Amino acid sequence: MAEETLRFETEVGKILQIVANSLYSEKQVFLRELISNAADACDRLRYLALTDSSLTKDDPEFRITLTADKAARTLTVADNGVGMNREALVQDLGTIARSGSGAFLEQLSGDARKDVALIGQFGVGFYSAFMVADRVEVLSRRAGEDQAWRWVSDGKGEFTVAEAEKPARGTAITLHLAADEDEYLEPARLRHIVSTYSNHIPVPIVIKEGGKIDTINAASALWTRARGDIEDEEYAAFYRHVGHAFDAPWMTVHWRAEGTIEYTGLLFIPERRPLDIFSPEREHAVKLYVRRVFVTDKCEGLVPPWLRFLRGLIDSEDLPLNVSREMLQHNPMLTRIRNAIVTRVLGELEKKAEADPDSYAGFWEQFGAVMKEGVYEDAEHRERLLKLARFRSTAGEDVTSLAAYIGRMKPGQEAIYFITGEEIERLQKSPQLEGFRARGVEVLLLTDPVDDFWLSQVTEFEGKPFKSATRAGADLSAIEKTGKAEGEDADKAEAETPPGVDALVAMIRLELGEAVKDVRVSERLTDSPVCLVSDEGDIDIHLERLLRQHKRFEDAVARVLEVNPTHPLIAALAGQAGRKGGGANVADAAWLLLDQARILGGEPPPDPTAFTKRLSAVMTRAMSG
Ligand code: ADP
Ligand code: MG
């Protein structure tokens, strides 16, 4: 087949542009990326060879070979792994199959410095070769196939593929180094980079200098060594390889289980949340090995979805090696390993929460929203997860645990109060919180979409029921007011409902009809004239809005409009309500108050024309009156 020229997928083009122009200071990581891919390719072939030994018969020893050619100014990274055929070359090197790339590209700003930081987070894998090379040649032959292929690109939008000759399986990636990159021709420099970044890749990395061949990494599987013998830096380097990650691990959990089932676990919690952690296709990335042989990184059921941020591996001594990946899923041993992973990780998190609350709060900020999915879907671990959960609240800037919240509850307070919404700042200003503030009652401020869901499942924590502050029947009367700064009008609210308010409430109820479920005198408001709450037993306001956004909910549920009897506007309206001719004002006011309550709750008035008409009418009457 003649040479063909193809264009990179648009996304790859964009990434290549940033890579080529970036001032990325750690260019040497390109070598780690190429070695990491080469090691993965060896791992994959080692697994395939279990069922088809002919694939590796000609050359059973896996290795990665580095060759620097000073005369040609090329560096070649070669492996005898699984190799790529034409389809794989076009697909794997021409598109980004990696999850999260869409989210990554959306966040790019065009500002080189910011984008470099993002690249650092996302990583560009194979394309990092173009940081140091102005032309990259990939010569590859898939194990078990005869035809080899050559892929060539200068990283500027196009690549070519053509048939080629290659005597043995695997991939050789040749970098034609750019003008200033001669350092990567120096064996000493290469050795240094390998020992820094790739020492514990479980495949030997050899360097060819003249006729001499030298193994330059430890090539032992890191996880088989004792914990005490492993430096943090070694763990971090291994984390980057196994997790395809670019940050550092926040926590490392390394253990060996002996007894009825034997396995080693080496798991990492990243420092930062990957960009696509909430995308529906996102799966966990813990790899399964069996007696040092990589089996799969898509072992469903190995890790529960709410721990999908874990990176690392499980290496089992007992699982059968020659079993299909599908069969693996139903293996009872796997269920036991999964339970052990959960227990381990939760245990370590509990320790960390105790020993280093600040660092733990940082972890929770990154992954709390994911862990809370467990509260919702995993009844077995619900209690432990609720204890580990941290929340923002009206008590201050710091996050709090539920136990600490309960410790601060007021005399007479029976429930754990919360409010859900999109933004902390907005929630803090919610009119529904005024009465809670006046009484010094703390309210949890919840802004993760998942909060509405787990709160619809979980009714209590340590005997204290969860109650929404935006729900009717939040009984505050039993709690004493504190009468501090913002509670200064507290006494007023304590007074009897002023005369005429009951009549006003009845008139508003009549006027609004079906638009509201009820109109009631509020005990939760101190500053605002009105607010909307959901009736006891009805769906929570914010949850309804979320469901409607996701088209999972059609009809709007009628809400309860609460009026603040101590507010001057309500008092004035109450005065009018009794008077002859006051009806027109009250009618307009009723609708305006309802729209006001909606706006305060973050929703636009459903009929903006009617809203502005009424507002103009009322203003006109006020001006001319
Ligand atoms: P990632 O390693 O995170 O998947 P990369 O950009 O590093 O992303 O690599 C893209 C893909 O190209 C790999 O997933 C793999 O399928 C393929 N690939 C890259 N290098 C090799 C290699 N040496 N041998 C076989 N396949 C490779
Ligand atoms: Mg890679």
Side-chain angles (χ1 to χ4, degrees):
M1 203 191 284
E3 182 178 284
E4 274 186 89
T5 302
L6 296 154
R7 287 203 71 77
F8 286 112
E9 182 189 48
T10 327
E11 279 70 34
V12 178
K14 279 191 208 162
I15 286 185
L16 281 170
Q17 226 167 16
I18 305 164
V19 169
N21 301 321
S22 84
L23 317 158
Y24 197 51
S25 54
E26 294 176 68
K27 283 184 181 181
Q28 73 271 17
V29 301
F30 82 89
L31 192 55
R32 168 185 88 198
E33 290 306 309
L34 298 184
I35 288 176
S36 179
N37 286 347
D40 287 347
C42 294
D43 268 352
R44 272 153 56 205
L45 182 57
R46 194 183 275 133
Y47 177 73
L48 292 176
L50 291 173
T51 43
D52 182 358
S53 58
S54 72
L55 291 173
T56 50
K57 214 170 47 217
D58 57 328
D59 183 10
E61 299 295 325
F62 289 102
R63 87 194 82 76
I64 299 167
T65 310
L66 306 183
T67 318
D69 181 337
K70 285 189 179 166
R73 300 194 60 259
T74 59
L75 170 65
T76 299
V77 180
D79 65 69
N80 57 351
V82 69
M84 287 176 274
N85 54 21
R86 187 186 175 281
E87 288 72 54
L89 282 167
V90 172
Q91 177 63 33
D92 299 345
L93 304 184
T95 62
I96 312 186
R98 271 181 63 200
S99 55
S101 51
F104 165 69
L105 286 160
E106 265 165 38
Q107 290 197 23
L108 293 176
S109 61
D111 174 340
R113 218 171 307 158
K114 280 189 210 150
D115 290 347
V116 165
L118 267 182
I119 289 187
Q121 232 184 92
F122 177 74
V124 288
F126 169 76
Y127 305 111
S128 60
F130 290 99
M131 294 197 293
V132 297
D134 41 33
R135 190 153 60 92
V136 175
E137 262 182 69
V138 182
L139 179 61
S140 194
R141 189 176 133 191
R142 168 101 189 169
E145 297 181 13
D146 293 328
Q147 183 63 58
W149 300 88
R150 176 179 277 104
W151 178 106
V152 184
S153 178
D154 61 2
K156 297 209 167 69
E158 289 178 348
F159 59 89
T160 59
V161 244
E163 284 180 355
E165 297 288 323
K166 189 175 187 298
R169 68 165 196 259
T171 304
I173 299 183
T174 299
L175 311 185
H176 294 262
L177 294 171
D180 294 333
E181 312 295 351
D182 288 356
E183 59 185 283
Y184 304 113
L185 296 169
E186 294 304 330
R189 176 82 175 114
L190 297 174
R191 279 167 197 271
H192 180 72
I193 300 173
V194 169
S195 67
T196 309
Y197 295 107
S198 313
N199 201 24
H200 288 284
I201 300 288
V203 179
I205 302 168
V206 303
I207 193 161
K208 246 172 141 170
E209 278 181 70
K212 216 167 76 217
I213 293 187
D214 216 0
T215 301
I216 53 175
N217 68 330
S220 66
L222 183 74
W223 63 93
T224 59
R225 287 169 51 199
R227 230 169 13 157
D229 298 341
I230 305 173
E231 306 279 338
D232 286 352
E233 253 323 302
E234 293 180 292
Y235 275 129
F238 188 74
Y239 157 76
R240 292 189 189 104
H241 163 61
V242 75
H244 295 224
F246 285 74
D247 57 346
W250 173 71
M251 191 160 95
T252 302
V253 191
H254 185 189
W255 79 103
R256 189 157 307 161
E258 273 153 5
T260 45
I261 54 171
E262 282 183 33
Y263 64 90
T264 299
L266 174 52
L267 299 176
F268 302 98
I269 295 179
E271 241 169 19
R272 269 188 303 243
R273 153 168 88 198
L275 293 164
D276 64 330
I277 193 84
F278 294 115
S279 88
E281 315 85 65
R282 175 54 128 169
E283 288 161 355
H284 78 80
V286 173
K287 296 185 176 185
L288 180 68
Y289 282 69
V290 173
R291 292 181 290 284
R292 256 66 63 212
V293 176
F294 167 76
V295 173
T296 176
D297 51 7
K298 294 190 177 57
C299 183
E300 211 185 302
L302 182 60
V303 170
W306 51 271
L307 283 177
R308 63 182 176 275
F309 49 84
L310 289 176
R311 296 286 176 275
L313 60 88
I314 296 293
D315 184 0
S316 159
E317 297 296 327
D318 323 294
L319 280 169
L321 243 176
N322 54 355
V323 72
S324 75
R325 291 173 200 195
E326 293 69 37
M327 296 277 287
L328 260 179
Q329 284 170 27
H330 305 290
N331 193 304
M333 228 176 288
L334 211 68
T335 315
R336 296 180 57 181
I337 294 179
R338 169 192 162 113
N339 290 340
I341 291 176
V342 171
T343 308
R344 272 286 156 171
V345 172
L346 291 183
E348 291 299 319
L349 286 173
E350 283 156 0
K351 272 191 242 161
K352 193 84 173 177
E354 185 77 28
D356 191 349
D358 287 344
S359 174
Y360 180 76
F363 154 77
W364 191 262
E365 194 184 320
Q366 295 296 319
F367 298 108
V370 183
M371 298 274 285
K372 281 190 279 191
E373 291 174 19
V375 176
Y376 176 63
E377 37 181 58
D378 193 338
E380 190 189 334
H381 299 103
R382 183 166 292 158
E383 264 323 286
R384 267 177 107 175
L385 285 169
L386 281 173
K387 282 188 188 141
L388 281 168
R390 296 293 180 268
F391 304 97
R392 285 288 304 271
S393 85
T394 51
E397 290 296 306
D398 291 340
V399 288
T400 178
S401 67
L402 290 173
Y405 176 98
I406 290 174
R408 288 187 296 267
M409 277 170 51
K410 293 282 155 194
Q413 180 183 350
E414 291 302 328
I416 300 170
Y417 289 107
F418 66 88
I419 182 166
T420 60
E422 268 102 74
E423 291 164 53
I424 294 279
E425 293 70 32
R426 189 145 187 180
L427 285 181
Q428 262 158 343
K429 290 185 203 141
S430 301
Q432 287 97 338
L433 297 190
E434 291 168 5
F436 291 88
R437 284 229 170 74
R439 290 171 171 82
V441 173
E442 184 176 352
V443 178
L444 302 177
L445 306 169
L446 310 180
T447 53
D448 290 320
V450 65
D451 289 321
D452 286 287
F453 295 95
W454 70 262
L455 280 159
S456 66
Q457 288 277 318
V458 180
T459 49
E460 53 104 43
F461 176 75
E462 297 189 343
K464 308 286 181 204
F466 287 100
K467 271 204 175 149
S468 168
T470 62
R471 196 171 268 283
D475 187 11
L476 293 175
S477 57
I479 309 169
E480 260 175 61
K481 298 206 174 175
T482 54
K484 280 193 213 111
E486 40 187 2
E488 266 167 31
D489 330 29
D491 295 336
K492 264 196 274 163
E494 212 99 46
E496 293 274 291
T497 304
V501 168
D502 287 334
L504 174 70
V505 164
M507 283 174 80
I508 298 178
R509 193 182 288 138
L510 201 66
E511 177 62 33
L512 296 182
E514 302 271 283
V516 291
K517 185 152 185 186
D518 197 7
V519 183
R520 289 174 201 161
V521 174
S522 178
E523 60 173 30
R524 82 184 77 216
L525 294 172
T526 60
D527 300 336
S528 305
V530 281
C531 71
L532 282 171
V533 299
S534 49
D535 206 2
E536 199 86 52
D538 280 352
I539 183 169
D540 209 59
I541 293 185
H542 184 245
L543 177 58
E544 181 198 336
R545 200 181 315 154
L546 271 178
L547 291 176
R548 250 189 295 156
Q549 274 165 9
H550 291 94
K551 309 253 182 299
R552 300 270 288 276
F553 203 87
E554 290 291 322
D555 320 308
V557 174
R559 299 300 174 196
V560 175
L561 182 70
E562 289 196 354
V563 299
N564 176 0
T566 64
H567 194 280
L569 174 59
I570 301 299
L573 281 169
Q576 291 224 343
R579 238 175 285 151
K580 231 179 107 199
N585 273 350
V586 172
D588 275 339
W591 291 103
L592 283 172
L593 285 172
L594 176 58
D595 281 340
Q596 229 188 86
R598 285 176 176 139
I599 294 169
L600 279 171
E603 266 178 273
D607 184 349
T609 318
F611 170 70
T612 39
K613 252 191 192 153
R614 278 199 193 95
L615 190 60
S616 304
V618 170
M619 285 166 80
T620 311
R621 281 205 289 276
M623 304 284 186
S624 52

